[in-house]
Amino acid sequence: MGGALGRAAFRILIGDCIDMATTAENPLATDAKVLQSYLGGKWQAGAERGAPLVNPCDGSVLAWASSQGLDLKAALDYSRNVGGTELRKLTYSQRAELLGKIADLLATRRDQWYEIARKNSGNTKADAAIDVDGSIGTLKYFAKIGAKLGDAHMLRDGSAVRLARDQNFQGLHVGVPLDGVAVHINAFNFPAWGLWEKAAVSLLAGVPVLSKPATSTAWLAQEMVHAVIDAGLLPPGALSILCGSPSDLLDHLRLSDAVAFTGSAQTAREIRKGIREDVRVNIEADSLNAALLAPDAKSGSPSFDFFVREVVREMTSKAGQKCTAIRRVLVPSEVADAVTEAIVAALSTVVVGDPANSTVTMGPVVNTAQRKSIEEGIEALMQQAEVSYWPAKSTVVGATAERGAFVPPTLFRSAASSWGDPVHHLEVFGPVATVVPYRDKADAFAVARHGGGSLAASVFSGDTGFLTEAAVALGTTHGRLLLVDPAIGDSHTGHGIVLPSLMHGGPGRAGGGEELGGLHGLWFYHQRVAMQASATTLSALAEQAADPSAE
Ligand code: NAP
């Protein structure tokens, strides 16, 4: 386990790999396509070839993307004026029906999406399912619950209340759809789900979408939008996509526009700094999520086994590239050895390589730049933590380790429980986690909170009292808590899986945003207005409005 020898050997290895990655010739496939953007109702290419999208298994170029020279102000105007006007002529249920049609169309071409996800994101089938099937499921879900809003054009929040001695003077909260454009900026790790989980809610609200996928994996998003546009499912201007860098996109936003951003905390800071104050912004940023094993969970108990299985699944699913993945593994100090051994035993069965090979259970990370960032993160963690598991890279199957963006699953063990320790503030966005032993319950809750605000935490215990105590202790610093007693050990949906019916987002470094949450998510795309009027006027308004809480 760990120690100075391991650290030195690791430095030599990653030093070699970084050198090889930077000097390796990047094979330019002659048939690499240039991704066009769909803006202002037409497909348009940037003025240059732009940035490459690669196959992370070998670095070969699959496509190029550039936004150079595209008129983004005109694109936003078109979305607002044409897309917004057309969408808002429809009722919620009509727009919900469109979402259902998009889901059906996407479902017919699943194999194509899986193939792109494998080539451009290095996804195994299971990884691609989270992204692709997750997006189709989310669209279907909003098609279903959106239909219940019926023929309305506005939302209603609660009932009318009397405001004065005169009973006829009343107040009612109403949500009016924004008449701007929704700009959706997405991270590289969910090109399909990121696109549709945002677009489903926005389109249902009646707000046109201009989606900006991360350049490195934009291919899948672009092909999906292409399919939907070609099928003519949406009114003109309702859905646009920008491939390539964001360029001056955000400079042209104004009141009644909205930005939903998903990505790193650093980019989130830049966006917050640069954007006009009258543009509403939702931020989904990074997060050092924890899984907590309760003191009652002895080695060999059901909670112990469910916990270990979940940690391993979260470390290896999508090669650890999930914003919700478990990064910190909090365990009672007396079982720290047993937990570490059990995780290491499971990690040693992981087969890393090209997902085209059916024996592979974990693919590469998205590209060599990301691999380098992870390797630097691993080095930083080594300053303070011991290595518990770190296999040799020669185990890569079906690919050449040096050319691809492969990172083996890596487990650390740290005694750190101070807020400033790297394990609590450094997001290593790959198959990397750290076991952190805790002394007692108070210590466990304090250490979990050292993450500075997280998207999700899970707690494993056979003691309902402990689970409810943890819920309260962790509630203020987390967006979602998965409380696992053995009764749901096999049936829960997973620590890292975001569900459309529940809110996604977290406080503090996680960005402070809220997405999804069923119809609750619609409020981000509506202006909530306190209407004061006579009972007659308010009931006329209320007749045009649907109550989303009645879903
Ligand atoms: P990133 O580098 O922050 O990029 C995210 C998106 O922002 C990309 O589309 C990027 O475009 C765009 N962007 C970059 N600079 C910008 C700017 N100045 N103005 C406007 N847009 C800008 O993040 P990433 O590397 O793609 O994704 C990984 C990160 O996302 C991780 O930290 C992960 O935790 C986080 N994440 C969070 C969630 C969540 O729901 N909270 C979900 C997934 C991922 P280009 O690609 O063209 O540069």
Side-chain angles (χ1 to χ4, degrees):
M1 298 232 305
L5 252 186
R7 204 166 297 164
F10 184 85
R11 285 225 185 80
I12 290 164
L13 181 83
I14 68 166
D16 287 352
C17 287
I18 289 168
D19 286 343
M20 278 186 251
T22 48
T23 57
E25 194 184 320
N26 203 1
L28 304 185
T30 47
D31 59 348
K33 55 157 75 194
V34 174
L35 295 184
Q36 295 201 335
S37 296
Y38 189 70
L39 302 168
K42 48 185 192 288
W43 290 101
Q44 309 180 33
E48 55 173 25
R49 198 170 53 167
L53 285 72
V54 303
N55 181 332
C57 288
D58 59 12
S60 59
V61 177
L62 302 165
W64 300 89
S66 164
S67 58
Q68 173 80 31
L70 298 176
D71 187 345
L72 302 183
K73 180 177 182 309
L76 291 164
D77 284 340
Y78 182 83
S79 297
R80 283 183 203 110
N81 300 335
V82 179
T85 306
E86 291 300 315
L87 271 176
R88 284 190 301 280
K89 283 182 192 160
L90 306 176
T91 64
Y92 290 105
S93 62
Q94 287 171 324
R95 294 192 293 259
E97 198 179 332
L98 298 181
L99 299 183
K101 287 184 177 161
I102 295 173
D104 290 343
L105 172 77
L106 295 179
T108 62
R109 292 170 60 173
R110 234 187 211 103
D111 289 347
Q112 183 188 346
W113 316 137
Y114 274 46
E115 185 64 0
I116 296 174
R118 178 183 69 74
K119 285 186 176 156
N120 190 196
S121 295
N123 280 183
T124 62
K125 265 200 165 162
D127 295 339
I130 300 174
D131 192 24
V132 172
D133 295 4
S135 67
I136 295 170
T138 301
L139 280 160
K140 282 193 172 159
Y141 174 80
F142 279 100
K144 190 167 148 215
I145 61 168
K148 294 183 188 157
L149 295 175
D151 290 340
H153 289 273
M154 288 185 292
L155 298 181
R156 179 160 53 83
D157 186 9
S159 311
V161 289
R162 191 176 133 191
L163 297 176
R165 191 175 292 239
D166 176 3
Q167 290 199 20
N168 191 30
F169 181 56
Q170 297 185 0
L172 177 69
H173 289 107
V174 166
V176 181
L178 299 180
D179 59 4
V181 56
V183 169
H184 295 164
I185 302 176
N186 284 311
F188 75 78
N189 55 332
F190 282 106
W193 178 80
L195 163 66
W196 294 114
E197 60 97 16
K198 287 184 170 66
V201 183
S202 187
L203 293 172
L204 180 59
V207 182
V209 171
L210 194 156
S211 191
K212 212 301 278 171
T215 301
S216 55
T217 56
W219 184 19
L220 178 53
Q222 198 259 10
E223 288 283 353
M224 285 179 147
V225 170
H226 222 308
V228 171
I229 297 297
D230 287 352
L233 295 182
L234 288 170
L239 179 62
S240 306
I241 186 165
L242 171 64
C243 299
S245 84
S247 183
D248 60 352
L249 178 67
L250 302 185
D251 298 343
H252 305 298
L253 297 182
R254 53 140 169 93
L255 179 65
S256 285
D257 293 334
V259 173
F261 167 79
T262 297
S264 63
Q266 191 186 327
T267 308
R269 269 191 294 277
E270 283 171 36
I271 288 178
R272 276 204 170 103
K273 235 190 287 161
I275 211 157
R276 271 173 56 151
E277 278 177 11
D278 54 1
V279 175
R280 63 177 71 186
V281 179
N282 189 78
I283 301 283
E284 300 293 343
D286 61 31
S287 177
L288 285 160
N289 314 291
L292 168 55
L293 184 65
D296 65 284
K298 306 294 175 218
S299 178
S301 68
S303 290
F304 182 100
D305 293 343
F306 287 131
F307 177 82
V308 168
R309 190 178 69 184
E310 195 59 16
V311 170
V312 173
R313 180 159 64 177
E314 284 296 309
M315 285 181 71
T316 54
S317 163
K318 287 182 72 71
Q321 300 166 109
K322 291 211 308 290
C323 53
T324 46
I326 295 168
R327 308 285 175 208
R328 300 177 301 143
V329 183
L330 313 187
V331 300
S333 44
E334 54 279 15
V335 293
D337 284 344
V339 170
T340 305
E341 279 161 26
I343 296 174
V344 167
L347 290 179
S348 64
T349 67
V350 173
V351 182
V352 179
D354 183 345
N357 183 308
S358 61
T359 63
V360 165
T361 55
M362 192 178 91
V365 296
V366 73
N367 52 36
T368 47
Q370 194 61 26
R371 185 188 79 187
K372 184 168 183 285
S373 155
I374 295 165
E375 287 168 343
E376 285 167 359
I378 288 174
E379 266 216 274
L381 287 178
M382 277 180 177
Q383 305 306 315
Q384 184 246 319
E386 283 191 347
V387 176
S388 295
Y389 185 68
W390 161 62
K393 296 211 175 189
S394 55
T395 51
V396 167
V397 171
T400 312
E402 293 74 22
R403 285 190 85 88
F406 299 98
V407 180
T410 305
L411 187 70
F412 285 97
R413 168 108 163 238
S414 165
S417 38
S418 335
W419 183 84
D421 292 322
V423 61
H424 300 305
H425 69 77
L426 182 67
E427 185 199 44
V428 183
F429 204 60
V432 182
T434 305
V435 174
V436 184
Y438 66 79
R439 288 186 305 278
D440 53 29
K441 170 166 89 173
D443 188 33
F445 297 154
V447 172
R449 288 194 293 258
H450 287 338
S454 303
L455 294 168
S458 50
V459 186
F460 289 71
S461 176
D463 176 355
T464 308
F466 182 84
L467 291 173
T468 53
E469 209 176 328
V472 176
L474 304 183
T476 55
T477 49
H478 290 79
R480 179 166 60 83
L481 293 172
L482 170 66
L483 308 170
V484 184
D485 64 47
I488 57 163
D490 271 324
S491 59
H492 70 80
T493 47
H495 167 105
I497 298 295
V498 174
L499 299 168
S501 52
L502 290 182
M503 198 265 293
H504 172 57
R509 75 171 287 162
E514 284 190 6
E515 279 186 341
L516 300 170
L519 295 177
H520 174 79
L522 288 176
W523 285 107
F524 180 65
Y525 298 102
H526 287 73
Q527 178 60 39
R528 198 188 302 257
V529 192
M531 300 286 187
Q532 296 175 290
S534 71
T536 315
T537 305
L538 286 189
S539 33
L541 263 180
E543 266 174 37
Q544 298 176 43
D547 180 359
S549 67
E551 55 176 290

